[in-house]
Amino acid sequence: MMNGLEKSDSAIVAVKPANKTGKPAAEWAEPRAGTKGNTGQPRTRRTQSRGSVSQGLDRVRNAARQRKKEKFTALLHHVTVDLLRESFLALKRRAAPGVDGVTWEDYEAGLEGNLQDLHARVHRGGYRAQPVRRRFIPKPGSDKQRPLGIAALEDKIVQRALVAVLNAIYEEDFLGFSYGFRPGRSQHDALDALSVAISGTPVNWILDADIRSFFDSVSQEWLVRFLEHRIGDERVIRLVRKWLKAGVLEEGTWSVSETGTPQGAVVSPLLANVYLHYVFDLWAKQWRRREATGNVVVVRYADDIVVGFEHEADARCFWDAMRTRFEQFGLELHGEKTRLLEFGRYAAARRQRRGLGKPETFTFLGFTFICGKSRRGGFQLQRKTRGDRMRAKLQEIKVRLRERMHDTIPEQGRWLKAVVTGFFAYHAVPTNFRALGAFRYHVTDLWRRTLRRRSQKDRMTWERITKIAAAWLPSPRILHPWPNERFAVKHPR
């Protein structure tokens, strides 16, 4: 369906009622047929300052919103040359090339011809997905390494274009507590939602769930079956199968697996969200409605899941049912990282009455959540930058400073300013001021030590480096509003 206006949908519109309702009634107004002059235009600009909006995708979005169980049988024609061009321009210019060795600049040299050829191959079925080049990067806060897939440039272009089409459908299907890799939803939106839920609703227990090797454990068979609930266009399903079966090239050895999605690929986040939408989101919504005896809140960012409960019995029942549910679809909860802890407004007082220590903490999206107290002595949910993440970042800065050791102080200062500004942009949330100050202090100390190593005669004092840092490094300050303020703006009642 959705080939265009008046192709699969009839031109019949709601009948306009008569002007008079007497007996006999006045003549009913004649329904107006669809327009003919503008249907050939695939997109329009709403204002001079806003980007192009695809009319075809707008119709797909409206149909997905109104008909929740309908399959879309004609979607690939929305992957136009214009959409491929937009996808190419959205890619990172300096990204590492895939197995084909083609860089962004190489492809741009003959852009229009390349896009026309790519568009033709995609629509006639001649497009072939290439293996993903695998490399390993250090895992933050750990000695382990994390695999990262680098797709070929044309694969990135087609994947980004198809994601734009599929988002028109799935953004109408995904539930409100799903935040990972979705348009208009950031990590701070998920952090705000969790903070408001813990502070403003009766949450006494937190289930911090971790899925073991999620991206490597996704069942490709189940993933395709989930996609076919909404996607009836076999050409789109065939494209997804090509990417799943393209395999991985590691040190010259090609391998393919029946499970997992390629990490680092543009399409992987959407496929992961579709998988967890059917495996977890819909199930959790139904369990909360049918089984829970108290308040239950859920926040999911990709494969990071935090669930809050009012009653411990609900939490343990949900945990057992969740473990069984995941096993049915090839997923496994990490035995050591998944845990249930007493947390919330009354956790400290209850634990004190039982002779226990302070409430445990948990981590989510780079922050440690703490049951703290405000200046007035009341409960205050506090968020602090994870210590292991900060140490890993400082170690990275230390290595990079050694490489830049003989640069001039202004050159080092400009680079460090960008690094510290980027760190503050994410971590400068209320109740995290001390961590910001500690990070800036350690960066300043690393800078001082690096400058002292440039010469045996150098005597860079703390007083001097403090003045240099004041000229280049931003001072710590809170940049984000309180969670309830921003959450109220985005979710007005």
Side-chain angles (χ1 to χ4, degrees):
M1 60 170 293
M2 311 309 296
N3 283 317
L5 185 60
E6 300 180 0
K7 299 298 183 183
S8 58
D9 294 340
S10 66
I12 299 176
V13 297
V15 178
K16 184 178 179 181
N19 293 328
K20 298 179 182 179
T21 58
K23 294 183 179 180
E27 182 179 359
W28 290 76
E30 181 179 357
R32 184 175 58 186
T35 58
K36 296 182 179 180
N38 297 327
T39 55
Q41 300 177 6
R43 59 187 65 241
T44 183
R45 290 191 179 274
R46 298 170 64 180
T47 67
Q48 292 182 349
S49 61
R50 300 183 69 169
S52 299
V53 179
S54 170
Q55 294 180 355
L57 290 184
D58 211 24
R59 293 195 296 271
V60 171
R61 187 177 299 108
N62 291 333
R65 184 185 305 118
Q66 296 169 8
R67 301 188 285 273
K68 292 295 185 180
K69 296 184 178 181
E70 187 164 339
K71 284 189 177 182
F72 291 80
T73 57
L75 288 172
L76 193 62
H77 69 280
H78 292 292
V79 179
T80 62
V81 175
D82 289 339
L83 185 56
L84 292 174
R85 185 185 302 106
E86 293 174 8
S87 302
F88 170 77
L89 295 175
L91 297 176
K92 293 181 179 179
R93 270 66 168 170
R94 298 183 180 180
V99 295
D100 56 354
V102 179
T103 64
W104 193 92
E105 290 79 6
D106 297 336
Y107 205 81
E108 186 191 26
L111 181 60
E112 293 307 317
N114 291 333
L115 292 179
Q116 292 287 348
D117 177 65
L118 177 60
H119 177 265
R121 283 186 282 124
V122 167
H123 283 268
R124 71 168 183 262
Y127 162 78
R128 295 291 181 267
Q130 301 191 53
V132 173
R133 183 166 67 89
R134 173 170 288 179
R135 57 180 295 189
F136 292 88
I137 59 176
K139 196 172 183 179
S142 174
D143 296 333
K144 299 180 181 179
Q145 290 187 320
R146 183 177 64 185
L148 178 66
I150 304 175
L153 186 69
E154 284 196 338
D155 291 338
K156 293 180 183 178
I157 297 172
V158 180
Q159 287 179 17
R160 184 176 288 272
L162 190 63
V163 165
V165 175
L166 296 183
N167 271 338
I169 299 172
Y170 286 109
E171 279 303 304
E172 302 299 329
D173 290 355
F174 290 154
L175 303 186
F177 57 73
S178 169
Y179 287 89
F181 308 112
R182 293 180 56 188
R185 288 178 168 237
S186 67
Q187 290 146 306
H188 281 283
D189 291 325
L191 290 165
D192 289 347
L194 182 59
S195 300
V196 170
I198 294 175
S199 301
T201 62
V203 171
N204 300 315
W205 295 86
I206 290 291
L207 177 61
D208 183 14
D210 184 272
I211 304 176
R212 188 190 300 271
S213 302
F214 168 71
F215 285 93
D216 294 330
S217 304
V218 169
S219 169
Q220 296 177 4
E221 179 183 358
W222 275 111
L223 175 59
V224 172
R225 291 176 64 179
F226 292 148
L227 287 170
E228 289 174 342
H229 282 307
R230 290 291 256 167
I231 310 302
D233 192 334
E234 287 297 328
R235 299 170 299 173
V236 173
I237 299 297
R238 195 177 302 118
L239 276 177
V240 175
R241 289 185 185 274
K242 286 181 179 181
W243 293 322
L244 294 176
K245 299 301 181 183
V248 174
L249 190 65
E250 183 178 349
E251 297 181 353
T253 304
W254 178 78
S255 61
V256 64
S257 175
E258 296 296 326
T259 61
T261 61
Q263 293 197 43
V266 178
V267 74
S268 287
L270 175 62
L271 297 181
N273 272 335
V274 170
Y275 197 82
L276 285 176
H277 172 72
Y278 288 100
V279 172
F280 176 76
D281 294 357
L282 295 177
W283 170 83
K285 179 183 177 182
Q286 185 182 70
W287 191 96
R288 178 170 57 181
R289 184 176 67 253
R290 295 182 178 180
E291 305 291 337
T293 60
N295 182 57
V296 178
V297 296
V298 184
V299 176
R300 180 178 69 80
Y301 192 93
D303 59 329
D304 292 335
I305 302 172
V306 177
V307 190
F309 300 89
E310 182 178 0
H311 304 305
E312 182 183 4
D314 281 348
R316 297 196 177 279
C317 182
F318 182 89
W319 190 357
D320 292 338
M322 181 181 179
R323 184 186 299 109
T324 303
R325 174 74 175 179
F326 278 2
E327 290 174 354
Q328 295 173 356
F329 297 95
L331 302 179
E332 179 186 0
L333 287 175
H334 199 293
E336 297 178 358
K337 296 182 179 180
T338 300
R339 59 198 182 103
L340 180 66
L341 58 145
E342 193 171 7
F343 197 91
R345 180 177 297 275
Y346 307 107
R350 290 177 177 174
R351 291 176 65 86
Q352 187 176 13
R353 287 196 298 266
R354 299 199 303 268
L356 302 176
K358 294 181 179 179
E360 297 181 75
T361 63
F362 69 95
T363 60
F364 184 60
L365 299 181
F367 290 94
T368 300
F369 282 67
I370 306 169
C371 288
K373 291 185 178 181
S374 64
R375 294 180 179 179
R376 296 183 178 181
F379 171 78
Q380 183 183 65
L381 178 66
Q382 297 178 354
R383 296 176 294 175
K384 179 183 177 182
T385 300
R386 286 180 54 172
D388 57 343
R389 296 290 178 87
M390 183 184 293
R391 287 190 293 271
K393 186 64 178 178
L394 290 172
Q395 182 63 29
E396 177 188 344
I397 294 173
K398 179 180 179 180
V399 174
R400 298 290 298 276
L401 271 175
R402 293 287 177 87
E403 298 172 354
R404 299 169 176 263
M405 182 168 60
H406 296 291
D407 292 350
T408 64
I409 289 181
E411 290 174 339
Q412 294 177 351
R414 281 189 289 269
W415 176 72
L416 284 174
K417 179 181 180 181
V419 172
V420 175
T421 300
F423 185 87
F424 285 177
Y426 183 79
H427 293 272
V429 300
T431 72
N432 196 37
F433 184 83
R434 292 179 63 183
L436 302 179
F439 180 79
R440 187 183 186 277
Y441 170 84
H442 289 299
V443 170
T444 303
D445 189 44
L446 290 173
W447 196 5
R448 178 183 67 88
R449 296 186 181 194
T450 302
L451 293 176
R452 293 191 68 172
R453 291 175 62 90
R454 300 205 297 188
S455 171
Q456 293 180 352
K457 297 181 180 181
D458 190 282
R459 293 294 182 266
M460 176 63 67
T461 64
W462 187 255
E463 290 76 15
R464 185 182 172 195
I465 194 63
T466 300
K467 294 180 181 179
I468 295 175
W472 292 104
L473 303 185
S475 299
R477 63 189 183 95
I478 301 302
L479 302 176
H480 293 273
W482 288 92
N484 58 333
E485 296 176 2
R486 184 161 53 192
F487 189 82
V489 171
K490 293 191 175 183
H491 302 82
R493 292 184 177 180

